[in-house]
Amino acid sequence: MNDSYSGKNGKVKVMYVRNNEDNNDNRKGGDRRQNSDSRKSDNRPFGKGRDQGDRRRGNERPVRSGDRSPWRTISRPEGESLSPEHQGISGKSNIDPEQLRRQRLEETRIYGENACQAMFQNRPDAIVRAWFVQSVTPRFRDALKWMAANRKAYHVVDDEELSKASGTEHHGGVCFLIKKRNGLDVETYLQQAPVKDCVLALENVGNPHNLGAIMRSCAHFGVQGVILQDTALLESGAAVRTAEGGAEHIKGIDADGFTAALNQFRNQGYTIVTTSSHKGSTTLAQATLPEKMVLVLGQESDGLSDSIWEDGDIRLSIGGTGRVESLNVSVATGIMLAEWWRQNKI
């Protein structure tokens, strides 16, 4: 407890703390006398009286007049910190808030049975913590054994608790807290690129369900690299679940400047292929797709910006009835990747 009063040096804080040394002295030298006094004043045997009950519960009896008090007072100027002098807990966390914030930025939650199984098969060391409902645990037997052996925390919870842990009701019975992967820069990707390579570039595509479907198509057709302004979007829970395990086979490529990144690929022999549903272009059925290309698609509503569209070495569209304005970006991606695979991989 603490209080304050005004003294010669201004307002002063007063804090009352337990004096352990005095209390220990009382117990060593004064316990016998105090117990004797207590029995005289309490006409009940010690074994059935308040003293034994109080001590069993860990409570202290009120200090009588003449006893040495186990409390002492200390005072400090008001502006000075009131740290406890008994080496106890001050009540404030010792965790650095900035460190905690950085740690949270480096982690993400993924969910869905196929997504988490693929995560465990490819990057088990990235798992920080896991939650399961009982019904899926038999199918995650190997993962549970591995986590127990490697001291990774996991919890078997009910559906409601898992919804809280994952942040969604569509968790599929499992949720992993994982360390995020960092995106690659263009130079690093190019050093390990295959001879026949299609890289996907997405301008302002941010819907996680579309990104998940795109990653699934990329994994199916052997596309590894995906250029984005923010590669962390590929690690969102909804995107990873929609990818159904495909996210583990995708490498995000950071593009600080979208045009500059495309030019770096062009300088390494890649053909830049831009797409549009309503601008004049070659239809996909008439096009010959090169072995090394960057396929560029735009945001869900407006498509590619004019500057990116015009920067393409080849400009494509997908022919159709015209009854709808355009295809969903994930559907368009799948169709174009299938054609590239047909021409260059089969």
Side-chain angles (χ1 to χ4, degrees):
M1 55 182 143
N2 59 71
D3 205 343
S4 63
Y5 66 89
S6 297
K8 293 181 180 180
N9 295 324
K11 197 171 184 180
V12 176
K13 285 278 187 182
V14 179
M15 181 171 70
Y16 300 88
V17 298
R18 185 68 183 269
N19 188 333
N20 289 332
E21 294 179 0
D22 290 346
N23 190 44
N24 290 337
D25 292 343
N26 283 344
R27 289 183 179 179
K28 292 178 182 178
D31 280 353
R32 190 173 299 141
R33 183 177 65 253
Q34 183 173 334
N35 290 342
S36 176
D37 294 342
S38 299
R39 285 194 292 273
K40 288 180 183 179
S41 62
D42 189 350
N43 298 324
R44 288 182 291 176
F46 176 79
K48 298 180 181 179
R50 287 183 309 227
D51 294 292
Q52 188 177 20
D54 288 344
R55 291 177 186 277
R56 187 181 296 113
R57 292 187 298 270
N59 299 331
E60 295 291 339
R61 296 174 56 230
V63 179
R64 298 178 182 277
S65 176
D67 287 346
R68 293 181 63 191
S69 171
W71 300 93
R72 59 193 174 89
T73 61
I74 58 174
S75 60
R76 293 185 179 88
E78 186 178 21
E80 205 171 307
S81 172
L82 294 178
S83 307
E85 300 242 341
H86 48 78
Q87 287 77 47
I89 298 173
S90 66
K92 293 184 178 179
S93 171
N94 292 324
I95 299 175
D96 181 4
E98 181 61 24
Q99 179 182 352
L100 184 61
R101 186 188 69 82
R102 287 196 304 268
Q103 180 177 329
R104 287 175 176 169
L105 289 175
E106 293 169 357
E107 296 173 348
T108 187
R109 294 173 193 252
I110 66 170
Y111 44 84
E113 190 168 333
N114 289 340
C116 290
Q117 287 282 19
M119 170 74 206
F120 171 67
Q121 294 298 327
N122 289 275
R123 294 185 291 145
D125 290 335
I127 300 172
V128 177
R129 186 180 295 268
W131 295 261
F132 304 89
V133 296
Q134 182 64 47
S135 60
V136 307
T137 54
R139 297 190 291 279
F140 281 88
R141 187 178 292 110
D142 292 341
L144 291 168
K145 289 180 180 178
W146 184 88
M147 283 185 270
N150 289 273
R151 305 178 69 84
K152 302 281 187 177
Y154 67 86
H155 315 273
V156 178
V157 297
D158 59 24
D159 190 79
E160 181 180 357
E161 188 65 26
L162 186 52
S163 295
K164 293 179 182 177
S166 63
T168 178
E169 296 179 353
H170 307 291
H171 46 64
V174 57
C175 173
F176 285 175
L177 177 66
I178 66 169
K179 296 176 183 176
K180 291 180 180 178
R181 292 177 292 184
N182 294 323
L184 303 176
D185 57 40
V186 174
E187 293 82 1
T188 302
Y189 178 84
L190 288 171
Q191 289 172 4
Q192 56 194 23
V195 176
K196 293 183 178 182
D197 189 28
C198 178
V199 173
L200 193 64
L202 302 175
E203 184 189 31
N204 298 322
V205 177
N207 183 292
H209 300 286
N210 282 339
L211 288 172
I214 287 170
M215 286 192 287
R216 189 171 181 175
S217 294
C218 285
H220 184 76
F221 292 114
V223 173
Q224 300 178 21
V226 177
I227 301 172
L228 278 175
Q229 286 101 331
D230 182 8
T231 57
L233 294 172
L234 299 175
E235 299 262 280
S236 75
V240 172
R241 186 190 180 192
T242 306
E244 294 287 354
E248 295 304 316
H249 305 283
I250 304 305
K251 299 173 182 177
I253 304 171
D254 284 313
D256 293 333
F258 206 74
T259 301
L262 295 180
N263 285 332
Q264 285 180 278
F265 276 93
R266 181 183 280 118
N267 293 337
Q268 293 298 316
Y270 284 75
T271 301
I272 307 303
V273 179
T274 56
T275 61
S276 174
S277 59
H278 54 274
K279 297 175 182 176
S281 57
T282 304
T283 62
L284 179 62
Q286 299 170 333
T288 299
L289 300 180
E291 291 181 350
K292 296 179 70 172
M293 74 175 196
V294 179
L295 178 63
V296 190
L297 293 102
Q299 61 181 313
E300 293 87 346
S301 57
D302 299 327
L304 285 179
S305 61
D306 290 339
S307 59
I308 296 297
W309 160 255
E310 292 168 2
D311 193 41
D313 302 313
I314 299 175
R315 303 171 193 174
L316 292 181
S317 63
I318 300 173
T321 64
R323 293 173 183 170
V324 292
E325 181 182 355
S326 63
L327 292 169
N328 175 275
V329 64
S330 65
V331 175
T333 300
I335 293 172
M336 292 192 172
L337 293 185
E339 181 61 19
W340 176 82
W341 174 266
R342 186 190 69 81
Q343 293 187 25
N344 295 285
K345 289 287 191 175
I346 295 178

